[in-house]
Amino acid sequence: MQVTKYIHALKIPFQINVSPKVSLDRFVYAYLIYGPRICLIDTGVSSAETIIYDYLHHTGRSPEEIDMVILTHSHPDHIGAIQSIKESTGCVVVAHPGEKNWIEDVDLQIRERPVPGFHTLVGGSVAIDRLVGEGDILNLGDGLSLEVFHTPGHSEGSISLWFPEDGALFSGDAVPLPEDMPIYDDYESSVNSIEKLKAVEGIHYLLSAWDVPRNSDYAYQLMGESISYLE
């Protein structure tokens, strides 16, 4: 789905196998920024590269154009296809230092944070090529760029990304949906991170990993409701 001139959103369905007889239907959003080259924000689960590549071909682009993949954090539904995408495209992999250990060693992640069906969701480990933190700027070419916000709480090294060209804020899993089950490592950090994002002026699109793309009329309202819900 094309959201703006540059941004495309991909809804990636998957299942969590809780037991041999029980599975949960879930989904996650990954995002493509079409510039002179292509930037992918999160990858979805293992085998999601098929959905991503099919969409690229459908829109007249090719997987070989992906030169940067930014991982907002290290959880399975965000890094599952990164090993395959890295191997097939040679892209630069970008993430925060706080997520480095779990991205570069997925076996460590499953030991420290057991998730049902983990190895069906994650294709494998991958080395991070560039570590980023608060205020870093990622150049996408032709004057396009992303600014990094460190937004811990959901995880230690979660990041959000500001794309000023379209007034788009990619929030990963930093903004929980009211009435949905909030997932966080640290409550206070999570609230502070949402407050930081809510203070960004000029948001025209809020692009979350676990919600449909939202426009400015709803973006600030949702962040306020998320803080109230967590409290």
Side-chain angles (χ1 to χ4, degrees):
M1 174 179 65
Q2 186 166 2
V3 180
T4 73
K5 175 182 176 181
Y6 296 101
I7 299 169
H8 297 250
L10 294 180
K11 185 177 182 179
I12 299 171
F14 64 96
Q15 289 187 326
I16 297 176
N17 297 318
V18 179
S19 72
K21 295 183 178 181
V22 178
S23 62
L24 300 177
D25 291 324
R26 302 289 293 173
F27 68 86
V28 67
Y29 276 92
Y31 295 93
L32 296 157
I33 301 177
Y34 284 12
R37 299 284 287 172
I38 293 172
C39 174
L40 172 64
I41 299 174
D42 290 329
T43 71
V45 297
S46 177
S47 78
E49 67 273 10
T50 301
I51 297 174
I52 295 167
Y53 294 171
D54 285 349
Y55 184 85
L56 289 170
H57 289 306
H58 178 71
T59 54
R61 304 296 291 257
S62 69
E64 291 74 22
E65 294 181 77
I66 299 175
D67 73 342
M68 182 185 296
V69 177
I70 306 170
L71 303 173
T72 60
H73 59 292
S74 60
H75 292 168
D77 53 331
H78 296 258
I79 70 164
I82 186 56
Q83 185 185 71
S84 176
I85 293 172
K86 171 71 172 179
E87 289 175 353
S88 62
T89 68
C91 62
V92 172
V93 179
V94 180
H96 188 276
E99 307 295 299
K100 176 180 171 68
N101 289 344
W102 280 5
I103 294 171
E104 297 192 335
D105 185 353
V106 296
D107 290 328
L108 173 65
Q109 180 174 172
I110 187 60
R111 290 196 300 272
E112 295 184 343
R113 185 179 184 267
V115 172
F118 181 92
H119 288 296
T120 67
L121 302 175
V122 178
S125 306
V126 70
I128 298 173
D129 300 300
R130 179 174 176 183
L131 295 170
V132 293
E134 179 74 21
D136 284 346
I137 303 296
L138 296 166
N139 182 6
L140 307 182
D142 283 357
L144 304 177
S145 65
L146 287 165
E147 181 181 355
V148 177
F149 292 104
H150 181 209
T151 47
H154 180 75
S155 69
E156 177 185 353
S158 284
I159 56 174
S160 299
L161 303 158
W162 172 239
F163 186 60
E165 186 71 24
D166 284 333
L169 181 65
F170 300 91
S171 60
D173 285 345
V175 181
L177 291 175
E179 307 308 324
D180 201 358
M181 182 175 68
I183 300 170
Y184 51 83
D185 284 345
D186 183 85
Y187 158 75
E188 285 191 14
S189 294
S190 188
V191 170
N192 291 339
S193 290
I194 302 169
E195 292 279 14
K196 178 193 292 187
L197 297 180
K198 192 168 177 282
V200 176
E201 296 182 358
I203 298 174
H204 298 307
Y205 301 93
L206 179 64
L207 304 176
S208 168
W210 50 19
D211 190 23
V212 298
R214 300 287 188 174
N215 61 27
S216 57
D217 293 337
Y218 188 74
Y220 292 100
Q221 176 186 334
L222 176 61
M223 287 188 279
E225 290 174 353
S226 295
I227 292 169
S228 297
Y229 179 52
L230 284 173
E231 291 174 340

